[in-house]
């Protein structure tokens, strides 16, 4: 059986790091904060690997099926028989995998930040926030109860807010963190309502019971949830769609993606941890966690998941081709890759060979975490060197940053799906799953993967090739090279992961129903995506390897399309129009008027009346003691008269 | 003539009204304090009188009197402390001088 203490420690050590840094960091641990946090994170990572090893190879499998184990469960709030909020640990293949991914990337980011944020004034605070984030994310992945996942879901949102707004002197960072918080909060409203709908019909909040009740066709709960309907759609489907809305908000799916590009205002290692590898895949994780209900009882909701994912993937890939801020390109690429994971879940079925999409999605989540964190950390090294986010300030950096250049190239090859790097294997599985179940999505995904290769290599060539590098004047005196051992080590480790992760036989470990899934490799199937990917790479090579005017010419010949994509399809403007012009004018302003005039008016009127009245009667308090005595005496006599003569 | 209940009540009432009159008319704080003592003593006298003539077998009146004397002593201490402070601030023990503590 799994050791519950170890799993608890995995989750609680980052919390300990948060508490130590938050309480004592600024006064006592100014210089050692990073080291202490990194050590705690390292222990947590080791325990996560140990747990995952134990689960996958020792006790997890019973009769060839990976079990859903609950090594720890604490009854926290009991509402009624069966309906309770528990704090527990649910250990199944995706939890074990996510534990490894989250702790590993978190450790890499902890180490990397030692170099990246060296000399920063609020260094301990930064590590405190990192600890809080890691704790919340780990709490989210081990949650055994849908309400527990919601609690940690919000905690993740808060720590993301804190970290995006880390440079709080910058107005753009402040705006970005508010935007991220508000947009994800708005989506979380859907999640909360979804939870309420599901728990109302299922009568439980516990994942295992919930899934069991809402998937077995004989159960009364499922019948009642399917019988109740609103606008012709069953209550269960509504519940699942609302839960997915929450997931879409966190995972930056169209049209709730607008916060992700702006979230790049945070420190780059944070973007690597939160907005690439861990938090943004929380939505995918949530759908995967409830996958049996989606697949068996609410296929309509799953169809929505598939189309939202596919549209997001294509949409983000088109935008990524036009952006010039390197972190924004990576942000849109993240959105696009998460779209891949989403539609892979969406086209999947439950159980057996049909569940290929589920395995592929989780596989892609795993490999994507590795190479996208690598890309962000590499971009961080570049930004650290150039002191700019803009591609125009870069070029020809391969001499100055040899290690970064090499690891970045590996990551680009991985994300473009070039064999034998990690992204190739997971993307092939996703495309295969899409091909088997939904041709429309397959073609969208194929175009997207071609675009992915193009924009990633556009980024790569613009940073490391193109023109030769001329440092600006102000940078010359502070020249610090590539960033030292602490920044390069995570890059090298992650690039090893990005090279080798693809060879893990993932289907053996993670599948929709827990049985081993042997994924066959179809050579003839993978020709099309690889060829398309290579076309994308060579196009980028042709356009961006040397400095020339071909990209500008292309942009002007496709003027309209380029402008629309450059402005991100004007989605931000549409949101601004809806919120500022419509919501503010129709609801906000009348509400403000009502508040100012009616509510405040009532309060002020009370105050004014009291003031005027007291001004009138304050003369009674003359300060003459004997006058008071007379009033008192008269009062006493008056009362005496009343009692004696009038009281019968 | 043997003094009865009514005699004592008469003395007590007289004492009470003398006290009240003194309290309302004297401007000297010490004199006002003395008037209050008169009022308290009139009450004590009432208690004793009723105890002796109406409920001779009980001790409640006596106890009340003892308590009133004790509290009167405490009250005198507090009052004199206040008066001393006022004297320090106003260089006078005239009650009219303390008017500025109004509102």
């Amino acid at each position: 059986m799994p050791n519950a203490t170890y799993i608890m420690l995995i989750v609680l050590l980052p919390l300990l790091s948060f508490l130590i840094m938050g309480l004592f960091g600024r006064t006592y641990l100014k210089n050692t904060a990073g080291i202490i946090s990194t050590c705690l994170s390292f222990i947590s990572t080791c325990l996560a690997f140990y747990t995952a090893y134990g689960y996958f190879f020792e006790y997890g499998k019973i009769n060839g099926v990976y079990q859903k184990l609950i090594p720890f469960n604490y009854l926290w709030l009991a509402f009624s028989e069966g309906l309770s909020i528990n704090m527990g640990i649910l250990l199944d293949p995706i939890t074990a995998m996510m534990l490894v991914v989250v702790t590993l990337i978190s450790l890499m980011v902890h180490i990397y930040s030692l170099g990246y944020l060296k000399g920063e004034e609020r260094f301990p605070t930064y590590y405190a926030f990192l600890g809080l984030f890691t704790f919340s994310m780990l709490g989210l992945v081990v949650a055994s109860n849908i309400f527990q996942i919601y609690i940690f879901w919000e905690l993740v949102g808060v720590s993301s807010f804190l970290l995006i707004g880390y440079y709080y002197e910058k107005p753009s960072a402040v705006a970005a963190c508010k935007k991220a918080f508000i947009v994800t909060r708005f989506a979380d409203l859907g999640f909360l309502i979804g939870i309420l709908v599901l728990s109302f019909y299922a009568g439980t909040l516990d994942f295992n019971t919930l899934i069991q009740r809402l998937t077995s066709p004989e159960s009364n709960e499922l019948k009642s949830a399917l019988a109740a309907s609103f606008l012709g759609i069953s209550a269960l489907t509504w519940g699942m769609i609302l839960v997915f809305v929450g997931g879409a908000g966190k995972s930056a799916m169209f049209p709730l993606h607008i916060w992700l590009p702006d979230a790049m205002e945070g420190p780059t290692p944070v973007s690597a941890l939160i907005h690439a590898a861990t938090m943004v895949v929380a939505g995918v994780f949530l759908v995967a966690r409830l996958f049996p209900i989606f697949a068996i009882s609410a296929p309509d909701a799953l169809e929505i998941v598939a189309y939202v994912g596919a549209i997001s993937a294509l949409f983000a890939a088109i935008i990524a081709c036009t952006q010039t801020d390197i972190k924004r390109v990576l942000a849109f690429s993240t959105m696009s890759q998460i779209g891949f994971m989403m539609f892979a879940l969406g086209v999947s079925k439950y159980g057996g060979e049909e569940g290929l999409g589920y395995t592929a999605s989780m596989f892609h989540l795993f490999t994507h975490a590795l190479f996208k964190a690598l890309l962000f950390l590499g971009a961080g090294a570049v930004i650290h060197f150039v002191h700019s986010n803009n591609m125009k300030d870069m070029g020809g950096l391969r001499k100055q940053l040899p290690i970064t250049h090499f690891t970045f190239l590996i990551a680009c090859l991985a994300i473009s799906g070039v064999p034998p790097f990690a992204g190739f294997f997971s993307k092939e599985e996703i495309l295969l799953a899409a091909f088997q179940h939904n041709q429309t999505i397959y073609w969208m995904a194929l175009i997207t993967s071609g675009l992915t290769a193009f924009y990633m290599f556009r980024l790569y060539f613009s940073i490391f090739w193109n023109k030769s590098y001329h440092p600006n004047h102000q940078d010359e005196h502070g020249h610090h090279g590539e960033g030292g051992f602490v920044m390069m080590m995570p890059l090298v480790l992650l690039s090893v992961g990005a090279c080798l992760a693809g060879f893990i036989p993932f289907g053996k470990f993670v599948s929709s129903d827990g049985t081993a899934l042997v994924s066959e490799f179809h050579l003839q199937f993978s020709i099309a995506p690889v060829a398309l990917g290579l076309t994308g790479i060579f196009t980028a090579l042709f356009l961006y390897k040397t400095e020339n005017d071909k990209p500008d010419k292309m942009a002007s010949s496709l003027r309209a399309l380029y402008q629309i994509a450059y402005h991100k399809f004007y989605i931000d403007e549409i949101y601004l129009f809806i919120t500022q012009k419509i919501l503010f004018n129709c609801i906000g302003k009348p509400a403000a008027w009502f508040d100012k005039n009616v509510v405040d008016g009532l309060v002020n009127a009370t105050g004014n009346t009291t003031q005027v009245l007291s001004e009138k009667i304050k003369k009674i308090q003359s300060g003459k003691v004997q006058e008071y005595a007379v009033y008192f005496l008269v009062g006493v006599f008056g009362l005496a008269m009343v009692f004696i003569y009038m009281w019968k | 003539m043997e003094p009865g209940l009514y005699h004592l009540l008469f003395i007590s009432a007289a004492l009470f009204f003398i006290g009240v009159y003194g309290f309302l008319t004297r401007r000297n704080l010490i004199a006002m304090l003395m008037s209050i003592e008169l009022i308290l003593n009139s009450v004590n006298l009432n208690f004793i009188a009723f105890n002796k003539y109406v409920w001779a077998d009980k001790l409640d009146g006596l106890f009340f009197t003892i308590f009133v004397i004790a509290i009167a002593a405490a009250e005198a201490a507090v009052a004199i402390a206040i008066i001393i402070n006022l004297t320090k601030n106003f260089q006078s023990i005239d009650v009219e001088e303390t008017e500025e503590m109004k509102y």
Side-chain angles (χ1 to χ4, degrees), chain B residues 33-53:
Chain B
L33 184 60
M34 287 158 65
S35 310
I36 292 173
E37 296 297 329
L38 283 185
I39 296 171
L40 286 169
N41 280 324
S42 79
V43 174
N44 283 347
L45 207 55
N46 249 1
F47 272 125
I48 296 289
F50 278 115
N51 198 27
K52 180 171 163 59
Y53 290 105

Side-chain angles (χ1 to χ4, degrees), chain A residues 49-91:
Chain A
F49 271 98
Y50 175 77
T51 307
Y53 177 83
Y55 180 79
F56 284 124
F57 297 105
E58 280 166 10
Y59 47 74
K61 209 173 206 174
I62 298 171
N63 298 331
V65 178
Y66 279 111
Q67 301 295 312
K68 289 185 170 178
L69 304 171
I70 301 203
F72 172 78
N73 207 359
Y74 167 71
L75 183 70
W76 186 39
L77 290 174
F79 299 120
S80 67
E81 194 70 32
L83 188 66
S84 61
I85 297 179
N86 293 5
M87 283 289 157
I89 294 171
L90 171 65
L91 196 61

Side-chain angles (χ1 to χ4, degrees), chain A residues 476-491:
Chain A
E476 269 176 318
H477 57 88
H479 230 59
H480 42 51
E482 222 175 341
F485 176 71
V486 285
M487 279 171 73
M488 290 304 117
M489 189 185 78
L491 289 183

